[in-house]
């Protein structure tokens, strides 16, 4: 079963705009991370945020985590056409080795 | 540094056959993970191998099995294939102590006819 619920399911924006994706989860976590997947291929690790962190930045990416609301958001600033992909949140908990993925947000950035 | 590699890229089998998928981890990584990405079901954890042993298993029937070799590469075997086994199978690797950060390969797309 999927732990994470992501919204929106699909997001379409113009190049230069910001894109925000949200993820909610159900059980306690040790960390949450975001991955990108291009056209049904492998996943690319973007960023990991631990349960004791509230915000993290990496380049044009900003991730927030609210453990009280069991939710996270991924902000991509100044989007580019190359950012077009599916974005997944994944949580790691007490079942070691296992990442539990959300259903993903399909982001389309129009040039 | 070479990433995780998987072979074959595509595999077509018929129902009831067996499929073998292969994965080579990033050099230095001892842990290998397998995930299934089926349409409508999302990414689901299958198996975790570390130092040659199965460390964790997802909610899949026993006909999904695998092994890890001394060089840390891994095989995933799916016996008695069913139509619903059609999916993208992704392998990932990591250092054991950093299991939360998993690096994924390009996947093997399995089609069962």
């Amino acid at each position: 079963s999927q732990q994470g619920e992501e919204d929106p399911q699909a997001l379409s924006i113009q190049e230069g705009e910001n894109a925000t994706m949200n993820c909610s989860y159900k059980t306690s976590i040790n960390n949450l991370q975001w991955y990108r997947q291009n056209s049904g291929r492998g996943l690319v690790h973007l960023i990991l945020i631990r349960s004791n962190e509230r915000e993290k930045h990496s380049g044009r990416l900003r991730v927030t985590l609210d453990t009280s609301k069991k939710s996270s958001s991924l902000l991509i600033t100044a989007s580019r056409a190359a950012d077009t992909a599916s974005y997944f949140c994944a949580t790691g908990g007490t079942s070691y080795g296992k990442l539990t993925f959300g259903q993903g947000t399909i982001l389309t950035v129009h040039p | 540094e070479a990433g995780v590699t998987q072979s074959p890229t595509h595999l077509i089998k018929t129902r009831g056959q067996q499929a073998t998928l292969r994965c080579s981890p990033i050099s230095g990584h001892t842990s290998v993970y397998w995930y299934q990405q089926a349409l409508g079901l999302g990414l689901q954890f299958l198996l975790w191998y570390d130092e040659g042993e199965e460390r964790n298993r997802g909610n899949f029937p026993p006909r999904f099995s695998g092994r890890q070799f001394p060089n840390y590469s891994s095989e995933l075997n799916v016996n008695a294939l069913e139509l619903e086994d059609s999916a993208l199978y992704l392998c990932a690797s990591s250092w054991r102590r950093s299991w939360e950060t998993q690096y994924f390969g390009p996947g093997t797309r399995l089609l069962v006819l």
Side-chain angles (χ1 to χ4, degrees), chain A residues 31 33 35 37 95-97, chain B residues 35 37 43 56 88 100 102:
Chain A
N31 60 75
Q33 43 201 311
Y35 284 85
Q37 184 178 39
S95 182
Y96 293 152
Chain B
Y35 290 83
Q37 187 176 28
L43 276 147
N56 198 1
L88 180 67
E100 302 102 327
Q102 299 177 14

Side-chain angles (χ1 to χ4, degrees), chain B residues 72-90:
Chain B
Y72 304 116
S73 67
S74 175
E75 261 181 17
L76 174 69
N77 294 295
V78 187
N79 293 320
L81 284 165
E82 300 178 2
L83 297 178
E84 48 267 35
D85 295 334
S86 294
L88 180 67
Y89 288 85
L90 292 163

Side-chain angles (χ1 to χ4, degrees), chain A residues 38-94:
Chain A
N38 291 83
S39 300
R41 296 188 55 78
L43 299 169
V44 175
H45 184 262
L46 295 176
I47 194 165
L48 178 149
I49 186 166
R50 299 204 177 274
S51 58
N52 60 354
E53 297 175 307
R54 291 295 168 259
E55 189 171 308
K56 205 161 182 180
H57 296 255
S58 176
R60 294 185 295 114
L61 306 179
R62 173 179 164 247
V63 170
T64 61
L65 179 64
D66 187 335
T67 53
S68 66
K69 295 181 180 177
K70 290 188 167 58
S71 68
S72 172
S73 68
L74 170 68
L75 168 67
I76 304 174
T77 59
S79 296
R80 305 165 182 167
D83 295 327
T84 294
S86 293
Y87 291 81
F88 294 89
C89 67
T91 55
T94 56

Side-chain angles (χ1 to χ4, degrees), chain B residues 28-53:
Chain B
H29 287 183
T30 61
S31 283
V32 171
Y33 313 83
W34 288 95
Y35 290 83
Q36 181 196 65
Q37 187 176 28
L39 272 176
L41 294 177
L43 276 147
Q44 304 212 51
F45 171 77
L46 264 166
L47 291 158
W48 172 29
Y49 290 96
D50 183 76
E51 299 284 353
E53 295 197 15

